[in-house]
Amino acid sequence: MSLISCGNVSLSFGAKTILESVSFQVEEKNKIGLVGVNGSGKTSLFKLIIGEYTPDDGTISKSGDTKIGYMEQFSLSLNVSMYDEVIKIFSHLDDMETELEEIHSLLEQNGGTNALIERQHLLTEQFERLGGLTYKSRVKSALLGLGFSETQLYNSISELSGGQRSKVQLCKMLLSDSSLLLLDEPTNHLDIKSVEWLEDFLLSCKSAYIIISHDRYFLDRVTKRTFEIENCRLTAYNGNYSRFLLLKEELRQAAIRQNINTEREIKRIEGIIAQQKTFSQERNYITIASKQKQIDRIAGNLTKVSKAPASLGFKFDTKTGGGNDVLICKKLCGGYSSDSLIFRDIDIYIGKSERIFLLGPNGCGKTTLFKALCGKLPPKSGFFSLGSNISVGYYEQNQESLHISKTVLDEVWDDYPRMTETEVRSALGAFLFRGDDVFKTIGTLSGGERARISILKLMLSRANFLLLDEPTNHLDITSREALEQALTEYEGTVFMISHDRYFVNKLADRLYYMEGGEVTEYIGNYDYFEQRHKETQIVKAAQKPESVQASDYRQKKQQASDERKRQTQIAKTEATLDGLSKQIEEINTNLLNPDIAADYIKTLELSAQLEALREEEEQLFAKLEALYEG
């Protein structure tokens, strides 16, 4: 069934065309990736779908049963905990619970009428069918999966950062009963572990979704169709991101071949026309006219090969020199106070021209380590040293060093005053700041534009050792590919923090994984790390002292035993509930019998039995919910 249908939709803002003749359909359970450069109209398309924007032409229709979930629609209350905020998604279940409690109280106090008992029966069935027994544990599991700790679940929304609030909004949307999810950069603010949780959630969910993302690894895992917006047009491809790239290139090459063959045929016919003109006979002019019509008809088959959007064009040059030992860390400890170290006893070695990555969950100390290495935060103990003639260029994740009141031109020129204005503007042009764009203030730029300014300043520094903290954040796919190419050709040394698994796979020589304040080295890219990290955990477990292993074995054995008992109790409780349900249904049927209804004493007996069964049922439901939550 079609959830939404978009037919020949166009959208403009003033003289600027955003989308032109866009058509597509989204069916149930479609898993779609929406890609395109920043500013191509992806978010505008989402706002057309939810009705925030009105198309200039064309129509967008949705089926009557389609419920659309979009993150901006899920507002937050600042004075409640994140758990209480997310649980609001299930307010209908909470209302049912409240009503069931009220009915139970009335039955205990006054006995029950047939209508009240029937209402309780129907409401209980509906509550179970809609997930009433598990919704609280689902909320908790989702928040933990998105990277919050147990202790954070009851923190007030007002205490959360902007990124954490975005995760709470994402959680609300994922748990809503929307039939179509519109996900705009859902992996922002998530570490790799949380992204993997989100991937598993999306792969198992029953909703259709469209995802705007620049995370190519993520798109490959969770999408089966790809929509690309390029030059205001939308083209649909079957397959994930990698498949889309292949199909797009195949279509481009096929169009080029067709055009070459068409142009060759036109030239052949033009040769015939030129030959006919030399004869100057009436029948020759008839042939000429006929052949010209043939050319006009064939020319109509020429396929327009779309011009690729403007992309970054740059390379990192380095200062000459620099020893083979670029960075040596020995027993390095750091943090913001001596009493609370974020990382400890860090040993790292980086040699000349290596491309090394630092991975780890959010908050483990990666950025703190980088600040220590570039002198912004003195280490608490241990030491690190940079090699001879090593100059460091540091890319900050949040671009904190940019001056929001300066223009783009002055931001760069003030740091490199020896350059001429022409040279600065030429460099800015390579980073897509052209014409009057150079007079925009930094404060008005998007995250992607600020990222490009920071990378440009880094390029102009000609540093031979780059510390890059999440350099692909805010960059679209085209810009990420340009950065990958520039770093591949870079002759200096790079140490990078990243959650972009595709980026890591493309560039990594080695990587360090930081967790619990410590680092472990892996030689290879992300896929290699993922495989070896699991193996390492097994080896570590095997290397524990025998007493610890025995304790772990007993603990795991006990946990397995407890789990078996829990499952057995669940099965028994469900079977008992099933039997109670049948008894209750039988009594309800008898109470509706006119002959029994006329017998006051019999009715009282059955009502008493029904009340006792209902009370037992309520107790069993509470027990079952506790068992489900473990």
Side-chain angles (χ1 to χ4, degrees):
M1 183 185 79
S2 177
L3 298 177
I4 61 168
S5 180
C6 184
N8 293 314
V9 165
S10 297
L11 177 70
S12 300
F13 295 135
K16 184 178 181 181
T17 300
I18 306 299
L19 300 170
E20 185 177 357
S21 300
V22 168
S23 297
F24 62 86
Q25 282 191 326
V26 179
E27 307 290 334
E28 286 182 322
K29 299 184 180 180
N30 274 182
K31 302 179 186 299
I32 300 168
L34 178 58
V35 300
V37 299
N38 286 340
S40 61
K42 302 184 298 295
T43 299
S44 294
L45 179 58
F46 274 11
K47 293 189 175 183
L48 283 168
I49 291 172
I50 65 172
E52 185 174 332
Y53 291 167
T54 302
D56 300 325
D57 294 300
T59 59
I60 297 178
S61 58
K62 64 177 184 176
S63 70
D65 296 330
T66 300
K67 181 180 177 183
I68 296 174
Y70 185 50
M71 239 173 73
E72 290 183 4
Q73 296 171 323
F74 294 89
S75 59
L76 301 178
S77 301
L78 298 181
N79 59 345
V80 301
S81 72
M82 70 170 79
Y83 176 84
D84 290 336
E85 179 62 26
V86 176
I87 209 79
K88 289 178 184 178
I89 287 293
F90 298 102
S91 60
H92 59 296
L93 293 175
D94 189 56
D95 291 342
M96 286 183 191
E97 274 191 298
T98 302
E99 187 178 351
L100 282 168
E101 289 170 3
E102 291 172 352
I103 292 173
H104 181 69
S105 179
L106 288 172
L107 290 173
E108 281 188 332
Q109 293 172 10
N110 309 315
T113 64
N114 290 342
L116 191 61
I117 293 169
E118 188 173 347
R119 173 61 180 163
Q120 184 188 44
H121 179 67
L122 293 173
L123 198 60
T124 300
E125 285 188 341
Q126 186 181 14
F127 182 73
E128 293 176 25
R129 187 175 66 253
L130 295 176
L133 299 177
T134 60
Y135 74 97
K136 293 177 182 177
S137 59
R138 287 170 59 203
V139 168
K140 184 177 179 181
S141 174
L143 286 168
L144 294 176
L146 289 171
F148 293 107
S149 66
E150 288 268 6
T151 56
Q152 289 178 310
L153 296 185
Y154 301 99
N155 288 356
S156 171
I157 298 292
S158 61
E159 299 173 9
L160 304 181
S161 67
Q164 289 173 323
R165 292 182 190 184
S166 294
K167 288 201 287 187
V168 174
Q169 283 181 296
L170 174 63
C171 188
K172 289 180 71 174
M173 183 179 69
L174 292 175
L175 294 176
S176 70
D177 60 347
S178 302
S179 50
L180 173 61
L181 301 175
L182 302 180
L183 298 157
D184 195 343
E185 292 289 355
T187 60
N188 281 0
H189 314 296
L190 300 183
D191 58 25
I192 291 176
K193 186 177 179 180
S194 297
V195 172
E196 289 174 343
W197 176 88
L198 178 58
E199 288 171 348
D200 292 338
F201 182 95
L202 291 174
L203 288 171
S204 63
C205 83
K206 297 178 181 179
S207 303
Y209 51 76
I210 306 175
I211 299 175
I212 297 172
S213 181
H214 301 306
D215 186 331
R216 295 155 289 178
Y217 201 103
F218 176 69
L219 288 172
D220 271 351
R221 279 211 67 196
V222 301
T223 63
K224 295 183 179 179
R225 296 179 68 197
T226 301
F227 291 170
E228 183 193 31
I229 298 179
E230 186 176 76
N231 298 320
C232 305
R233 303 271 185 169
L234 185 145
T235 307
Y237 300 84
N238 288 324
N240 61 13
Y241 179 77
S242 293
R243 179 62 178 160
F244 143 73
L245 289 179
L246 292 173
L247 292 173
K248 182 181 179 181
E249 182 59 21
E250 287 176 5
L251 289 172
R252 194 180 78 85
Q253 293 297 333
I256 290 172
R257 287 194 299 271
Q258 180 180 338
N259 286 352
I260 290 172
N261 292 335
T262 300
E263 289 167 355
R264 185 181 294 128
E265 179 64 9
I266 288 173
K267 287 181 179 179
R268 185 187 71 80
I269 298 172
E270 286 175 342
I272 294 173
I273 290 175
Q275 183 184 48
Q276 291 294 317
K277 286 180 178 179
T278 61
F279 297 135
S280 300
Q281 299 294 323
E282 183 178 352
R283 65 177 181 275
N284 301 122
Y285 289 113
I286 295 172
T287 301
I288 290 170
S290 174
K291 292 298 181 183
Q292 187 58 54
K293 288 180 181 179
Q294 188 178 356
I295 287 176
D296 294 341
R297 187 171 62 254
I298 294 173
N301 293 326
L302 282 169
T303 302
K304 182 180 179 181
V305 180
S306 297
K307 181 182 178 183
S311 60
L312 303 184
F314 68 100
K315 62 178 296 186
F316 290 107
D317 289 324
T318 65
K319 296 173 182 177
T320 57
N324 290 327
D325 297 332
V326 176
L327 173 68
I328 298 174
C329 297
K330 288 290 186 182
K331 302 294 181 182
L332 192 66
C333 299
Y336 293 93
S337 70
S338 300
D339 298 332
S340 179
L341 294 177
I342 297 176
F343 57 84
R344 65 186 67 83
D345 297 332
I346 298 295
D347 290 342
I348 289 176
Y349 172 80
I350 297 177
K352 187 174 184 178
S353 300
E354 284 194 298
R355 295 190 290 270
I356 312 299
F357 281 84
L358 180 63
L359 308 185
N362 286 341
C364 70
K366 303 185 297 297
T367 296
T368 306
L369 173 60
F370 268 36
K371 286 183 176 179
L373 297 178
C374 66
K376 292 180 177 291
L377 184 70
K380 299 302 178 184
S381 62
F383 77 93
F384 74 92
S385 63
L386 297 173
S388 174
N389 294 320
I390 295 298
S391 58
V392 177
Y394 178 42
Y395 177 95
E396 295 177 289
Q397 180 181 163
N398 298 319
Q399 292 98 41
E400 294 174 353
S401 62
L402 298 180
H403 304 84
I404 62 173
S405 60
K406 286 186 179 182
T407 65
V408 169
L409 181 64
D410 289 339
E411 178 66 35
V412 178
W413 206 358
D414 287 352
D415 279 15
Y416 299 96
R418 293 186 179 181
M419 296 176 68
T420 67
E421 181 177 355
T422 300
E423 289 172 333
V424 175
R425 293 189 70 143
S426 177
L428 285 167
F431 282 76
L432 309 183
F433 293 98
R434 294 162 184 158
D436 291 340
D437 289 343
V438 301
F439 300 116
K440 292 180 178 178
T441 59
I442 298 297
T444 64
L445 301 182
S446 68
E449 289 171 323
R450 293 189 191 192
R452 298 205 305 267
I453 292 292
S454 295
I455 294 172
L456 168 58
K457 291 173 68 175
L458 200 64
M459 180 193 78
L460 294 174
S461 74
R462 301 186 69 238
N464 55 19
F465 181 34
L466 301 181
L467 291 173
L468 307 180
D469 190 351
E470 295 286 3
T472 60
N473 275 8
H474 309 295
L475 294 181
D476 58 33
I477 291 176
T478 303
S479 298
R480 292 183 186 205
E481 290 171 345
L483 178 61
E484 285 167 2
Q485 185 62 33
L487 291 173
T488 299
E489 297 171 354
Y490 177 56
E491 295 179 357
T493 307
V494 193
F495 192 19
M496 293 171 274
I497 297 170
S498 183
H499 295 308
D500 186 335
R501 294 162 293 176
Y502 197 101
F503 185 66
V504 178
N505 267 345
K506 197 82 176 283
L507 293 172
D509 296 321
R510 291 187 290 124
L511 60 85
Y512 289 94
Y513 183 74
M514 178 180 277
E515 189 172 32
E518 301 176 349
V519 297
T520 306
E521 181 185 15
Y522 295 87
I523 299 174
N525 61 14
Y526 178 79
D527 287 342
Y528 176 81
F529 152 74
E530 187 177 34
Q531 175 187 346
R532 290 302 306 274
H533 182 58
K534 293 176 182 177
E535 295 173 359
T536 301
Q537 300 308 306
I538 297 171
V539 171
K540 283 184 177 180
Q543 290 174 344
K544 288 181 180 179
E546 187 175 346
S547 59
V548 176
Q549 289 187 46
S551 175
D552 285 353
Y553 172 75
R554 286 194 299 272
Q555 184 179 355
K556 289 178 180 177
K557 188 175 180 180
Q558 183 62 45
Q559 288 174 345
S561 175
D562 291 344
E563 177 61 19
R564 286 194 300 271
K565 289 178 181 177
R566 187 175 75 91
Q567 293 297 333
T568 300
Q569 287 181 311
I570 287 173
K572 287 182 177 179
T573 305
E574 287 178 339
T576 305
L577 278 168
D578 187 52
L580 283 176
S581 178
K582 291 177 181 177
Q583 291 180 55
I584 290 169
E585 185 177 351
E586 184 180 347
I587 291 175
N588 280 328
T589 301
N590 289 335
L591 285 170
L592 294 174
N593 186 318
D595 294 336
I596 294 176
D599 187 338
Y600 176 73
I601 296 175
K602 186 66 174 177
T603 300
L604 283 178
E605 289 176 356
L606 289 174
S607 295
Q609 291 176 32
L610 188 62
E611 184 179 349
L613 290 171
R614 284 295 187 190
E615 186 175 345
E616 185 179 356
E617 185 183 48
E618 288 294 326
Q619 293 172 354
L620 287 172
F621 273 134
K623 179 182 177 181
L624 188 62
E625 182 174 355
L627 287 169
Y628 275 131
E629 292 182 358

